[in-house]
Amino acid sequence: MPAVSRPEAALAVRGPIFEPNPAAVDHRFLIEANASGGQPPYQFGYGGLPVGCASQNLSVISCRANATGNYTVEVNVTDSAGSIATSSARLRVSLDNTVFGEVWQESGLPLGTPWGVTIYGSDYTSSMRQLQIFLAPGYYPYTVDAVPGYSTVSTNGTVVVNNSLFTRDVAFARVLYPVTFLQSTLPDGTPWSVMVDGRTVASTNSTAQLELPNETTSYSVAPPIFWRAIPPRGNVTVVGGPTTVNISFVPIPTYAVTFIASGLPNLSVWSVDVNGTIVTSALYNLSTIEANGTYAFFVRPPTGWTASPNQGNLSVSGQAVRQSITFAFYRLTLHETGLPQGTNWSAFVNGSLLYGTTANLTEGIPAGTYGFGVNSLPGWTATPRVGTIVVGPGSSGVAEVSFAGPLKKFNLTFLESGLPSSLTWSIAVDGLDALAGVQGLTLELPNGSYPFTINAPTGWVASPSNGAAVVVGNSLNVSIVFAVPGTPTASWLGSDPQTWLTFTAALGGSVAAGALAGVVVDRLRFRRG
C-alpha cells in the first residue's frame, strides 16, 4: 500500500513582539518574530520601523528609536518555497528619562576583591559585595568580567530593564587544580600526611591528593615515627593545571630503651611515659625504642607505691639505654585512742576519705607529707583535729589522735559513824559546803582529786577531819568517824576494800543529840584536782 503523505502546514508568523513596550527614545529594545510551518529556512523583513531602526534578516533584531510616536510594525516571512506570511503589531516610543537602580550582587570572592560587569559596552566595577547600576528601560546584553583564579556559572546574557527593580546574583567559585604529593619509599599501609594551607591530607599509600587554586602555598610533611621526610616542608605552586610534589622518606636508626624495676611483687602492673608514649608492664622490665635524642620520662607506680626516680631525662646516643627504677611501699596510719570499741570514725587524708570502726585508719600512699582532718563525732573532741603526716624513709607514717568524750561521773559518798541521830554535821568538798545527814553525803563527780574538810558538832571531833578523796573510774566511799575527845579509838572499814577509804579517829567526850535525815546531792560540779 503506498505511503500517504501528510499535508504540509502552512507558513505562519507570530509577532512582532517588542521588549520592552513602550520603548524609550535613544534606548535599545528588542523586536522578535516567530515563524512556523512552510519550508524552512525563513527570511525575515520588517517594515514600519521607527526612525533609527533598520530591517535585518533575523528573527530577533535590536533597535534604538530616535523619535517618539506610535508605530505599526510589520514582519514579513518568506520560506524556501516562496510562500509569504505577514503579521503586524503596535509599538509606542515615548520620551522617557526615567532610570532604574539595578542591583548586582556577588558571592564567593574574598572581601575587597574587585569585580564587575560590562553592559552594552559600559564597564561597571566594585570592590564591595553589591554593585548598583542605573539604566533606562530597554534591552541590554552583559558580560561578567573575569576575576583571576575564579569562575562563574553565568558569564554573559541579557537583561531587560522596565518598570520593575531587579537583583541579579553573580556567584564566583575558585578554580581549583589537582595537586598530588607522591612517595614511593614507605611500606604499604604506613600512615603519613601532609598539611597544606591549614588542611591535613592523610594517606596510607603512595599518594596524598587535594585541590588548590592558582597560587603558591606552603606545605609540611608529617612522616611516620622513626622516618624522616625529604623535603620536610616547602612550597607548591599551581599554574593553571595539575601539579605533583615528590616526597621521599628515610628511616631513622632506633635503639632499645629499657626500664628495670626492683622492689615490686610479682605481676605488679606499672608503666612509664616516655616522650608522650605510655608503655605498661607486669614484669620486672619494660622496653621501647627511640631514636638518638634526649627524652623525658615519668614513672607511674602501682597504687600505694613510690618510684625512685619517678621522673627524669634519658639520652639515646647510638646505643641501647637502661634505666633502673626502685619501688617502695609506704603506709599512712591514723591511730585513735579514747573511743569505745566499734565506734565508726573517719578522716580526710590528702583529699581522700578514710573511715572504719577500728583504732587504725590506714592507706598505702607514696612518700610525702600529707595533711589530714578528723571528722566530728557528736559528743567527742579529737586532738589534734587537723595535722600533717610524713610518710617515707625514716618516718613511721603514724599520726596519733586522742578522743575525749562526755565526762563520766561516779558516786563519792561520805559515811559517818559515832554521832547520835540528833546531831548535825557538815562537810566542805573542793571548797563547797554541803549539809550531811545521819547516813552521810553522796556526790556525783568525774574522775579527779577532791579535797574535803569535816565540820563536827560542838564537843565532837571527826576522824579524818580533812583529806583528799581520789575518784578513778569507780564509785568511792569515805568513812568519817565522830567521837568525843578521850573516847577509846575505833576504826571503820568499808565493805569494798578497793574503793572504800579507812580512817581512824579517837573517841571521847560527850555525845550531842539531833541529826538530819540522810541527804544525797546529785550532779554538783566541783573543781577537778
Side-chain angles (χ1 to χ4, degrees), residues 68-374:
T68 63
N70 294 314
Y71 301 89
T72 300
V73 179
E74 182 180 90
V75 59
N76 296 307
V77 178
T78 303
D79 67 4
S80 61
S83 299
I84 298 175
T86 302
S87 179
S88 62
R90 295 283 294 173
L91 168 66
R92 179 175 177 270
V93 178
S94 62
L95 184 62
D96 190 351
N97 295 323
T98 303
V99 293
F100 297 94
E102 312 298 336
V103 177
W104 295 67
Q105 181 169 281
E106 73 85 9
S107 61
L109 292 178
L111 189 62
T113 302
W115 67 284
V117 293
T118 299
I119 300 177
Y120 206 72
S122 298
D123 194 30
Y124 302 89
T125 62
S126 176
S127 295
M128 306 297 291
R129 294 292 186 200
Q130 290 186 337
L131 174 63
Q132 190 169 32
I133 303 172
F134 293 91
L135 298 172
Y139 164 83
Y140 300 91
Y142 72 87
T143 301
V144 177
D145 298 342
V147 177
Y150 289 84
S151 64
T152 182
V153 175
S154 178
T155 58
N156 56 68
T158 59
V159 59
V160 176
V161 179
N162 49 34
N163 294 333
S164 61
L165 176 68
F166 77 89
T167 298
R168 181 173 296 272
D169 292 320
V170 180
F172 289 92
R174 297 193 81 178
V175 179
L176 301 177
Y177 301 93
V179 175
T180 301
F181 290 86
L182 179 64
Q183 69 85 24
S184 59
T185 51
L186 289 177
D188 289 341
T190 304
W192 62 287
S193 62
V194 181
M195 178 172 285
V196 184
D197 195 26
R199 292 177 292 167
T200 299
V201 184
S203 177
T204 56
N205 51 44
S206 61
T207 61
Q209 295 178 315
L210 74 162
E211 292 184 325
L212 293 175
N214 275 336
E215 61 186 19
T216 298
T217 307
S218 62
Y219 70 87
S220 61
V221 182
I225 187 171
F226 305 130
W227 289 81
R228 180 164 52 92
I230 302 174
R233 63 189 59 83
N235 295 315
V236 55
T237 300
V238 177
V239 185
T243 303
T244 299
V245 180
N246 291 307
I247 304 292
S248 62
F249 292 95
V250 178
I252 299 174
T254 57
Y255 305 93
V257 175
T258 303
F259 292 86
I260 303 171
S262 62
L264 283 178
N266 192 26
L267 300 181
S268 296
V269 178
W270 59 291
S271 61
V272 180
D273 182 334
V274 184
N275 198 32
T277 300
I278 298 175
V279 186
T280 301
S281 176
L283 304 175
Y284 290 111
N285 62 71
L286 57 79
S287 296
T288 184
I289 58 173
E290 297 292 347
N292 287 336
T294 300
Y295 304 97
F297 69 87
F298 302 88
V299 182
R300 298 183 177 184
T303 301
W305 292 76
T306 186
S308 179
N310 62 354
Q311 64 182 39
N313 294 296
L314 53 84
S315 295
V316 179
S317 181
Q319 61 183 3
V321 176
R322 296 166 67 89
Q323 173 68 55
S324 297
I325 306 294
T326 302
F327 291 91
F329 184 83
Y330 297 102
R331 187 174 297 277
L332 175 150
T333 301
L334 287 176
H335 177 257
E336 70 82 16
T337 56
L339 287 178
Q341 186 175 0
T343 300
N344 194 345
W345 66 292
S346 62
F348 278 97
V349 178
N350 198 36
S352 298
L353 178 65
L354 304 182
Y355 59 91
T357 57
T358 62
N360 293 325
L361 300 182
T362 302
E363 181 181 36
I365 200 166
T369 300
Y370 301 94
F372 71 87
V374 181

Side-chain angles (χ1 to χ4, degrees), residues 418-423 457-460 482-484 487 508-514:
L419 277 181
S421 60
S422 59
L423 294 181
T458 302
W460 290 76
F482 288 92
V484 177
T487 305
S510 60
V511 177

